[in-house]
Amino acid sequence: MKQRSAPSAGSASGGTTSFARTAAVLSLFVMGLGQWFNRQYVKGLLFFLVYIVGLLYTFVVLPRNIRGLITLGDKAAGFGKNAQGLTVLLPGDHSIFLMIYGLIALITFLIFLFVWFLNVRDAHRNGKLRDAGKPVPNFGQSIRGMQEKSFPYLLLTLPGLGVLFFTILPIVFMILIAFTNYSAPNHIPQKNLVDWVGFSTFSNLLVYSQWAYTFWNVLAWTIIWAIVATVTCYFGGIFVAMLIQQKGIRFKGMWRTIFIIPYAIPQFISLLIMKNLFNSQLGPINQYFRLLGLEGLPWLIHPFWAKVTIVAVNMWIGVPVSMVLVLGILTAIPKDLYEAAEVDGASAFQKFRNITMPYVLFATAPLLIMQFAGNINNFNVIYLLTKGDPKTGEYAFAGTTDLLVTWLYKLTLDNQIYNVASAVGILIFIFIASFSILNFRRTRSFKEEDILQ
Amino acid sequence: MNKSKNGVKLFFSYLLLILVAICVFYPTLWIIMSSFKVGNSLFSETLIPKQLTLEHYADLFKDQKDRDFRFVQWYWNTIKVATISMVLGTLVQLLTAYAISRYRFYGRKTLMTTILILGMFPGFMSMIATYIILMQLNLLGTHGALILVYTAGAALGMFVAKGYFDTLPKALEESARIDGAGHLKIFFSIFLPLSRPIMTYVALTTFAGAWVDFIFARLILSKARDQWTLAVGLVEMVDTYTSTEFTLFAAGSVLAAIPVTVLFMALQKLLVEGLTAGATKG
């Protein structure tokens, strides 16, 4: 492309004409027009094409999809007469598809608006360049300039799109589901329509009947589990790490390698192994009990013992992680602190309480909170060990060891009670997100990252 | 002065260490021993079987007419999915971390908070929607769908890598830029070589993540038995067959666990560094 010389007319005539404003206004009405006015023909053409496609989309596709999103359909599938007068099954509106299409349409429309905004801004910027008497960049230069300035955005576009369609869209969708009656047996498309019901799913879950009873009990167990699991793994890890790190213990590397084994074995396999190990009829654990003349325990089939077993198995998996972390921190504690303490005649426990513990706690506090959050959502341990069982008739679709997440999973996959499941998901999220954000904002990574460099 | 007291302490420490080591080893040893055991039952008189056999391992590689257990096929599927997801996911994650760590751009903090919040949603909260989207794209029952889901979410795990990039001195790219290197050149020829530890960490965790996931794998592949991964197959086996085919399950578990376990042990030091780097830097 030929290098265009800047039109000096604008600046020569005293700067009274504002290219910037004209270009921006032109682009505001017709995308690309402002660029043409700025003599950036290729870019203008590109924007114009986006404009045409976008307008067609906005007037042809969008209204239909938005309407679908609002009504969620008005005709269920059912029997009726076809053109030949025969009774057949006629397809109806599929509320859930309508909802998804509506959402996708809305997101696409927002992206279109965003590009429009970029187009106006671009026209305005280049107009300003002309006002200042500078040349506007040609297409090749624009591309290169974009690489220079918007490089991080370019890098993030593809991951961003992935996250948009496979994380954000599904989440928004699930949030919407919580406000409908999408559930078996009476509101499953295509046989039936789904309707918006406002907050009634939430009030059911929190206040009324068996739903509320199940929810509060499962929540209670979830919290107890998360606290116990986090604390046992954390202190278990500290304990093992300190055992290894003691003065006089030999083969430190060997011990560390041994204790890291559970961390290395894929979780789903070790959990399936444990499930068999604790089988109360045939499993070896109870077999050993019987050798000692004892009955053995109903490990995974009794409500209380199942909980105990889960915590113990979780320690087997979780302690190595904490151990690794703590080992790293222990080596970083200055030795002279201990020497000084020894001179003062401090006991081993005093040293632990006043030197080791504060150090370890300080370094791992953010992680501890993240582990707690992780345990609230610890799907694998529960689902692979007990599937949430032993069952109880008192709960709605939940067993005694179900966490909120496994309950959610069961409601979704096994029972198709989608609205309650997504309401549960939203509550879990609010719970975890609120203190995780607090925690995150306080960590150095967020606050002082520039100071660190 | 208190040598004997110290000796007692050491003795008990060793005792405890050995005890913990036994607890750690036992399940692993038990499953390995079971896989060599004659017969097929879960019940065994002794930990170390009286007779050892490789029959179950051979059995895994035979065509199974009576039971629908296609171990070889599943193994190959898992390797395929995990490797491709690893390559794509690592690239996505490192580039995201690089962009967020090394550039200051408008909306950066908001983006970080968003990533953090999104990472906290339980993944299967979005299951239904993911399912429907994949159905619309006609991808259900394919490995492409699984890879797509793993890769699309990879960016959300970027915090550890970001923490690592944060520690690399700014002067690096400044001097490179003065020498006229472009953004991507700086990333590929300066950052990637320097970030080998974190790259290995990310690659390995992505690989292992795809290797062990069964929630999405089951959802997406549920009907296509040929396409199953090991996790889906083995979990199903525990549900339906273990009482009658326990030793076969044991052999399958051992073979399924070996690659990831070996990788972890070989790269132990790196992983530990990655874990601690992630811990102190968020």
Side-chain angles (χ1 to χ4, degrees):
Chain A
M1 196 183 285
K2 208 172 60 192
Q3 173 70 46
R4 265 176 263 95
S5 60
S8 49
S11 50
S13 61
T16 44
T17 49
S18 168
F19 289 123
R21 188 160 5 104
T22 320
V25 170
L26 281 173
S27 266
L28 186 63
F29 286 106
V30 179
M31 282 172 71
L33 212 57
Q35 280 74 17
W36 277 48
F37 173 73
N38 285 337
R39 295 173 202 182
Q40 295 179 305
Y41 299 107
V42 180
K43 194 156 72 180
L45 190 67
L46 286 178
F47 271 124
F48 188 69
L49 286 177
V50 173
Y51 181 67
I52 296 296
V53 174
L55 279 190
L56 276 176
Y57 183 82
T58 309
F59 286 109
V60 180
V61 183
L62 190 70
R64 196 178 63 215
N65 284 333
I66 295 291
R67 189 174 160 275
L69 183 62
I70 293 168
T71 62
L72 293 183
D74 31 42
K75 189 166 68 70
F79 289 98
K81 295 243 192 304
N82 68 2
Q84 283 86 40
L86 299 166
T87 304
V88 289
L89 185 65
L90 297 173
D93 292 329
H94 193 302
S95 305
I96 295 312
F97 288 172
L98 288 179
M99 187 191 270
I100 295 241
Y101 296 149
L103 267 183
I104 294 178
L106 210 59
I107 291 179
T108 317
F109 181 64
L110 286 178
I111 294 177
F112 174 56
L113 284 187
F114 181 66
V115 176
W116 200 331
F117 162 75
L118 288 182
N119 145 73
V120 173
R121 200 182 63 169
D122 175 76
H124 185 256
R125 278 197 180 157
N126 284 306
K128 251 185 163 169
L129 280 181
R130 292 176 68 194
D131 286 337
K134 289 179 189 145
V136 291
N138 67 25
F139 190 62
Q141 288 166 336
S142 298
I143 291 284
R144 252 169 279 138
M146 214 161 93
Q147 270 179 358
E148 194 56 36
K149 249 192 241 150
S150 324
F151 185 71
Y153 296 113
L154 281 179
L155 272 186
L156 293 171
T157 305
L158 211 57
L161 282 178
V163 169
L164 184 66
F165 281 100
F166 283 93
T167 309
I168 296 179
L169 174 72
I171 288 173
V172 174
F173 171 73
M174 282 312 277
I175 291 174
L176 291 183
I177 291 289
F179 297 94
T180 68
N181 55 8
Y182 184 24
S183 64
N186 295 323
H187 294 283
I188 297 294
Q190 204 159 6
K191 217 168 114 205
N192 314 94
L193 292 173
V194 173
D195 314 297
W196 295 109
V197 295
F199 281 92
S200 78
T201 310
F202 286 92
S203 55
N204 265 332
L205 188 61
L206 298 176
V207 187
Y208 300 113
S209 71
Q210 217 183 357
W211 285 120
Y213 180 75
T214 313
F215 175 76
W216 292 112
N217 276 303
V218 173
L219 176 68
W221 160 236
T222 305
I223 293 173
I224 294 172
W225 147 259
I227 293 172
V228 173
T230 310
V231 169
T232 48
C233 288
Y234 186 66
F235 284 102
I238 293 180
F239 179 72
V240 175
M242 287 187 60
L243 263 184
I244 299 176
Q245 213 60 356
Q246 272 182 99
K247 237 190 285 169
I249 295 284
R250 308 184 73 183
F251 312 118
K252 289 192 165 71
M254 180 197 77
W255 293 115
R256 201 184 68 178
T257 311
I258 291 177
F259 296 153
I260 223 170
I261 287 176
Y263 176 57
I265 299 175
Q267 240 190 41
F268 80 95
I269 293 191
S270 48
L271 287 166
L272 292 180
I273 294 173
M274 292 291 190
K275 186 180 176 138
N276 285 300
L277 201 62
F278 284 99
N279 184 311
S280 44
Q281 276 158 10
L282 302 164
I285 305 272
N286 270 0
Q287 220 175 297
Y288 297 137
F289 272 95
R290 283 186 209 113
L291 281 180
L292 297 171
L294 296 166
E295 245 321 281
L297 287 165
W299 294 111
L300 290 166
I301 47 178
H302 179 276
F304 174 76
W305 290 110
K307 289 175 181 173
V308 174
T309 315
I310 288 170
V311 170
V313 170
N314 183 62
M315 272 183 85
W316 191 82
I317 291 169
V319 164
V321 182
S322 311
M323 179 197 78
V324 165
L325 289 173
V326 175
L327 273 176
I329 295 157
L330 284 184
T331 46
I333 302 179
K335 292 277 170 296
D336 47 347
L337 280 180
Y338 289 109
E339 281 157 19
E342 242 155 72
V343 171
D344 291 345
S347 71
F349 179 72
Q350 279 172 325
K351 277 189 278 184
F352 172 74
R353 230 198 68 176
N354 295 318
I355 303 174
T356 315
M357 211 46 218
Y359 250 98
V360 173
L361 208 61
F362 178 77
T364 51
L367 197 84
L368 202 59
I369 296 182
M370 286 319 274
Q371 272 177 355
F372 177 75
N375 274 324
I376 287 181
N377 281 333
N378 201 331
F379 179 87
N380 277 353
V381 171
I382 305 288
Y383 195 80
L384 292 177
L385 278 180
T386 64
K387 285 226 159 89
D389 295 343
K391 292 191 172 61
T392 163
E394 294 172 23
Y395 290 175
F397 305 108
T400 38
T401 57
D402 262 320
L403 301 181
L404 286 174
V405 276
T406 55
W407 187 37
L408 185 161
Y409 185 81
K410 282 183 182 173
L411 286 175
T412 307
L413 273 201
D414 304 339
N415 303 296
Q416 297 188 298
I417 317 277
Y418 300 116
N419 58 345
V420 178
S422 50
V424 171
I426 292 171
L427 293 174
I428 298 175
F429 170 72
I430 292 172
F431 189 57
I432 294 180
S434 45
F435 67 89
S436 292
I437 291 171
L438 264 178
N439 177 47
F440 179 66
R441 287 199 166 269
R442 276 178 22 217
T443 56
R444 285 193 314 195
S445 164
F446 204 80
K447 251 187 188 164
E448 309 168 14
E449 55 185 351
D450 285 323
I451 301 169
L452 271 176
Q453 286 175 359
Chain B
M1 92 225 171
N2 50 10
K3 215 169 188 174
S4 63
K5 199 179 136 204
N6 231 335
V8 172
K9 200 178 123 195
L10 269 185
F11 173 75
F12 277 107
S13 300
Y14 277 119
L15 204 68
L16 275 173
L17 281 172
I18 291 167
L19 214 69
V20 177
I22 291 173
C23 290
V24 165
F25 264 132
Y26 180 75
T28 321
L29 195 64
W30 176 68
I31 203 75
I32 293 173
M33 284 306 152
S34 301
S35 70
F36 291 121
K37 202 173 65 185
V38 179
N40 53 17
S41 109
L42 171 58
F43 185 81
S44 165
E45 295 277 316
T46 50
L47 176 61
I48 297 170
K50 295 192 184 83
Q51 267 185 307
L52 296 177
T53 173
L54 284 171
E55 176 195 351
H56 309 301
Y57 287 95
D59 215 15
L60 286 175
F61 294 92
K62 269 186 220 145
D63 236 0
Q64 307 296 338
K65 290 280 180 307
D66 50 336
R67 53 168 185 252
D68 217 359
F69 191 67
R70 305 169 200 170
F71 190 76
V72 181
Q73 179 76 47
W74 296 341
Y75 213 95
W76 170 241
N77 292 344
T78 314
I79 292 177
K80 196 173 95 184
V81 169
T83 311
I84 299 177
S85 307
M86 175 182 80
V87 174
L88 297 179
T90 308
L91 197 66
V92 166
Q93 193 166 335
L94 285 186
L95 282 176
T96 312
Y98 175 67
I100 291 183
S101 166
R102 304 312 276 193
Y103 294 91
R104 295 293 172 266
F105 52 90
Y106 179 75
R108 181 173 165 277
K109 285 235 156 152
T110 322
L111 191 69
M112 279 167 68
T113 316
T114 314
I115 291 175
L116 186 87
I117 295 173
L118 288 176
M120 276 181 291
F121 269 96
F124 33 88
M125 202 179 141
S126 52
M127 247 176 357
I128 314 290
T130 311
Y131 187 83
I132 294 174
I133 291 172
L134 291 170
M135 191 161 79
Q136 290 308 302
L137 297 174
N138 218 356
L139 285 173
L140 279 183
T142 65
H143 293 147
L146 210 52
I147 293 167
L148 189 64
V149 168
Y150 294 149
T151 310
L156 298 181
M158 63 95 208
F159 275 100
V160 175
K162 178 199 164 277
Y164 182 86
F165 285 149
D166 283 346
T167 61
L168 298 176
K170 264 236 155 74
L172 271 180
E173 71 239 51
E174 273 159 13
S175 57
R177 197 145 289 156
I178 289 168
D179 291 345
H183 294 277
L184 275 180
K185 190 166 165 61
I186 292 176
F187 177 72
F188 281 109
S189 58
I190 298 181
F191 267 79
L192 275 195
L194 273 177
S195 57
R196 202 177 299 146
I198 206 68
M199 190 161 66
T200 318
Y201 175 79
V202 172
L204 192 51
T205 44
T206 321
F207 182 84
W211 190 275
V212 306
D213 172 63
F214 92 102
I215 303 175
F216 275 102
R218 199 181 95 160
L219 176 81
I220 291 168
L221 306 173
S222 62
K223 281 176 198 132
R225 216 182 164 90
D226 277 341
Q227 309 289 312
W228 276 7
T229 58
L230 281 172
V232 185
L234 284 173
V235 171
E236 208 236 20
M237 200 189 181
V238 167
D239 284 349
T240 49
Y241 293 119
T242 37
S243 48
T244 52
E245 294 283 3
F246 176 72
T247 43
L248 189 71
F249 162 77
S253 300
V254 170
L255 288 188
I258 282 176
V260 175
T261 312
V262 168
L263 270 179
F264 264 72
M265 298 311 277
L267 298 167
Q268 200 206 106
K269 206 169 152 258
L270 258 180
L271 281 168
V272 170
E273 275 165 15
L275 204 63
T276 30
T280 46
K281 300 194 190 72

Short mmCIF file of all heavy atoms in Angstrom, two decimals, chain A residues 200-222:
data_model
loop_
_atom_site.label_atom_id
_atom_site.label_comp_id
_atom_site.label_asym_id
_atom_site.label_seq_id
_atom_site.Cartn_x
_atom_site.Cartn_y
_atom_site.Cartn_z
N SER A 200 -38.55 -19.00 44.38
CA SER A 200 -39.21 -20.05 45.16
C SER A 200 -38.32 -21.28 45.35
O SER A 200 -38.43 -21.97 46.35
CB SER A 200 -40.55 -20.43 44.52
OG SER A 200 -40.32 -21.25 43.41
N THR A 201 -37.40 -21.54 44.40
CA THR A 201 -36.48 -22.65 44.61
C THR A 201 -35.64 -22.40 45.85
O THR A 201 -35.41 -23.30 46.67
CB THR A 201 -35.54 -22.80 43.39
OG1 THR A 201 -36.33 -22.82 42.21
CG2 THR A 201 -34.75 -24.07 43.49
N PHE A 202 -35.17 -21.17 45.99
CA PHE A 202 -34.33 -20.84 47.14
C PHE A 202 -35.12 -20.94 48.44
O PHE A 202 -34.62 -21.45 49.44
CB PHE A 202 -33.74 -19.44 47.00
CG PHE A 202 -32.65 -19.36 45.99
CD1 PHE A 202 -32.91 -19.04 44.68
CD2 PHE A 202 -31.34 -19.66 46.36
CE1 PHE A 202 -31.88 -18.99 43.75
CE2 PHE A 202 -30.32 -19.61 45.43
CZ PHE A 202 -30.60 -19.28 44.13
N SER A 203 -36.36 -20.44 48.43
CA SER A 203 -37.12 -20.49 49.68
C SER A 203 -37.44 -21.93 50.05
O SER A 203 -37.43 -22.29 51.22
CB SER A 203 -38.37 -19.62 49.60
OG SER A 203 -39.13 -20.01 48.50
N ASN A 204 -37.69 -22.75 49.02
CA ASN A 204 -37.88 -24.18 49.29
C ASN A 204 -36.66 -24.78 49.97
O ASN A 204 -36.75 -25.51 50.94
CB ASN A 204 -38.09 -24.94 47.98
CG ASN A 204 -39.55 -25.11 47.67
OD1 ASN A 204 -40.36 -25.14 48.60
ND2 ASN A 204 -39.88 -25.17 46.41
N LEU A 205 -35.53 -24.44 49.41
CA LEU A 205 -34.28 -25.04 49.86
C LEU A 205 -33.92 -24.58 51.26
O LEU A 205 -33.38 -25.34 52.06
CB LEU A 205 -33.17 -24.67 48.87
CG LEU A 205 -31.84 -25.35 49.07
CD1 LEU A 205 -31.99 -26.84 48.92
CD2 LEU A 205 -30.84 -24.83 48.05
N LEU A 206 -34.20 -23.34 51.57
CA LEU A 206 -33.74 -22.79 52.85
C LEU A 206 -34.78 -22.90 53.95
O LEU A 206 -34.45 -22.92 55.12
CB LEU A 206 -33.33 -21.33 52.68
CG LEU A 206 -32.16 -21.11 51.71
CD1 LEU A 206 -31.90 -19.63 51.54
CD2 LEU A 206 -30.92 -21.82 52.20
N VAL A 207 -36.06 -22.93 53.58
CA VAL A 207 -37.08 -22.82 54.62
C VAL A 207 -38.02 -24.03 54.70
O VAL A 207 -38.27 -24.54 55.77
CB VAL A 207 -37.93 -21.54 54.41
CG1 VAL A 207 -38.87 -21.35 55.60
CG2 VAL A 207 -37.03 -20.33 54.24
N TYR A 208 -38.49 -24.50 53.56
CA TYR A 208 -39.59 -25.45 53.65
C TYR A 208 -39.16 -26.90 53.62
O TYR A 208 -38.18 -27.26 52.98
CB TYR A 208 -40.58 -25.20 52.51
CG TYR A 208 -41.18 -23.84 52.53
CD1 TYR A 208 -40.89 -22.93 51.53
CD2 TYR A 208 -42.00 -23.45 53.57
CE1 TYR A 208 -41.43 -21.65 51.55
CE2 TYR A 208 -42.54 -22.18 53.61
CZ TYR A 208 -42.25 -21.29 52.59
OH TYR A 208 -42.76 -20.04 52.63
N SER A 209 -39.94 -27.68 54.29
CA SER A 209 -40.01 -29.13 54.09
C SER A 209 -38.70 -29.88 54.11
O SER A 209 -37.71 -29.47 54.70
CB SER A 209 -40.74 -29.41 52.78
OG SER A 209 -39.89 -29.04 51.70
N GLN A 210 -38.71 -30.99 53.38
CA GLN A 210 -37.60 -31.90 53.40
C GLN A 210 -36.35 -31.30 52.74
O GLN A 210 -35.24 -31.61 53.12
CB GLN A 210 -38.00 -33.18 52.66
CG GLN A 210 -37.41 -34.40 53.33
CD GLN A 210 -37.74 -35.65 52.54
OE1 GLN A 210 -38.45 -35.60 51.54
NE2 GLN A 210 -37.24 -36.76 53.00
N TRP A 211 -36.56 -30.43 51.76
CA TRP A 211 -35.42 -29.80 51.11
C TRP A 211 -34.58 -29.06 52.13
O TRP A 211 -33.36 -29.22 52.19
CB TRP A 211 -35.86 -28.83 50.02
CG TRP A 211 -36.33 -29.49 48.78
CD1 TRP A 211 -37.57 -29.37 48.22
CD2 TRP A 211 -35.60 -30.35 47.92
NE1 TRP A 211 -37.66 -30.12 47.08
CE2 TRP A 211 -36.45 -30.73 46.87
CE3 TRP A 211 -34.29 -30.85 47.94
CZ2 TRP A 211 -36.05 -31.57 45.84
CZ3 TRP A 211 -33.89 -31.69 46.92
CH2 TRP A 211 -34.76 -32.05 45.88
N ALA A 212 -35.26 -28.24 52.94
CA ALA A 212 -34.54 -27.43 53.93
C ALA A 212 -33.85 -28.32 54.95
O ALA A 212 -32.68 -28.12 55.30
CB ALA A 212 -35.50 -26.47 54.62
N TYR A 213 -34.55 -29.36 55.38
CA TYR A 213 -33.98 -30.29 56.36
C TYR A 213 -32.69 -30.90 55.81
O TYR A 213 -31.65 -30.91 56.46
CB TYR A 213 -35.01 -31.37 56.68
CG TYR A 213 -34.54 -32.39 57.68
CD1 TYR A 213 -34.46 -32.07 59.03
CD2 TYR A 213 -34.14 -33.66 57.26
CE1 TYR A 213 -34.01 -32.99 59.95
CE2 TYR A 213 -33.69 -34.60 58.17
CZ TYR A 213 -33.63 -34.26 59.51
OH TYR A 213 -33.16 -35.17 60.43
N THR A 214 -32.78 -31.38 54.57
CA THR A 214 -31.60 -31.99 53.95
C THR A 214 -30.49 -30.95 53.80
O THR A 214 -29.34 -31.21 54.15
CB THR A 214 -31.95 -32.55 52.56
OG1 THR A 214 -33.14 -33.31 52.67
CG2 THR A 214 -30.84 -33.42 52.03
N PHE A 215 -30.85 -29.80 53.29
CA PHE A 215 -29.83 -28.78 53.03
C PHE A 215 -29.05 -28.43 54.28
O PHE A 215 -27.82 -28.45 54.28
CB PHE A 215 -30.48 -27.51 52.45
CG PHE A 215 -29.50 -26.39 52.28
CD1 PHE A 215 -28.59 -26.40 51.23
CD2 PHE A 215 -29.46 -25.34 53.18
CE1 PHE A 215 -27.67 -25.38 51.08
CE2 PHE A 215 -28.53 -24.31 53.04
CZ PHE A 215 -27.65 -24.34 51.98
N TRP A 216 -29.76 -28.13 55.37
CA TRP A 216 -29.03 -27.68 56.57
C TRP A 216 -28.18 -28.80 57.15
O TRP A 216 -27.07 -28.55 57.63
CB TRP A 216 -30.00 -27.12 57.62
CG TRP A 216 -30.63 -25.84 57.16
CD1 TRP A 216 -31.94 -25.63 56.85
CD2 TRP A 216 -29.96 -24.60 56.93
NE1 TRP A 216 -32.13 -24.34 56.42
CE2 TRP A 216 -30.94 -23.67 56.47
CE3 TRP A 216 -28.64 -24.16 57.04
CZ2 TRP A 216 -30.64 -22.35 56.14
CZ3 TRP A 216 -28.34 -22.84 56.71
CH2 TRP A 216 -29.32 -21.96 56.27
N ASN A 217 -28.69 -30.02 57.09
CA ASN A 217 -27.89 -31.13 57.62
C ASN A 217 -26.66 -31.40 56.76
O ASN A 217 -25.56 -31.62 57.27
CB ASN A 217 -28.74 -32.40 57.72
CG ASN A 217 -29.53 -32.41 59.00
OD1 ASN A 217 -28.98 -32.34 60.08
ND2 ASN A 217 -30.85 -32.47 58.87
N VAL A 218 -26.85 -31.39 55.46
CA VAL A 218 -25.71 -31.62 54.57
C VAL A 218 -24.71 -30.48 54.71
O VAL A 218 -23.50 -30.70 54.76
CB VAL A 218 -26.18 -31.76 53.10
CG1 VAL A 218 -25.00 -31.83 52.16
CG2 VAL A 218 -27.02 -33.01 52.94
N LEU A 219 -25.22 -29.27 54.85
CA LEU A 219 -24.32 -28.12 55.04
C LEU A 219 -23.50 -28.30 56.31
O LEU A 219 -22.28 -28.07 56.32
CB LEU A 219 -25.13 -26.82 55.10
CG LEU A 219 -24.31 -25.56 55.40
CD1 LEU A 219 -23.40 -25.24 54.23
CD2 LEU A 219 -25.21 -24.38 55.71
N ALA A 220 -24.19 -28.71 57.38
CA ALA A 220 -23.48 -28.88 58.64
C ALA A 220 -22.34 -29.89 58.49
O ALA A 220 -21.20 -29.65 58.90
CB ALA A 220 -24.45 -29.34 59.72
N TRP A 221 -22.64 -31.01 57.87
CA TRP A 221 -21.60 -32.04 57.68
C TRP A 221 -20.49 -31.53 56.76
O TRP A 221 -19.31 -31.77 57.00
CB TRP A 221 -22.22 -33.34 57.16
CG TRP A 221 -21.27 -34.29 56.49
CD1 TRP A 221 -21.39 -34.79 55.23
CD2 TRP A 221 -20.05 -34.86 57.02
NE1 TRP A 221 -20.34 -35.62 54.94
CE2 TRP A 221 -19.50 -35.68 56.02
CE3 TRP A 221 -19.39 -34.74 58.23
CZ2 TRP A 221 -18.32 -36.39 56.17
CZ3 TRP A 221 -18.19 -35.45 58.40
CH2 TRP A 221 -17.68 -36.26 57.39
N THR A 222 -20.87 -30.77 55.75
CA THR A 222 -19.86 -30.22 54.83
C THR A 222 -18.87 -29.36 55.60
O THR A 222 -17.65 -29.46 55.40
CB THR A 222 -20.54 -29.38 53.73
OG1 THR A 222 -21.51 -30.17 53.08
CG2 THR A 222 -19.51 -28.91 52.71
#
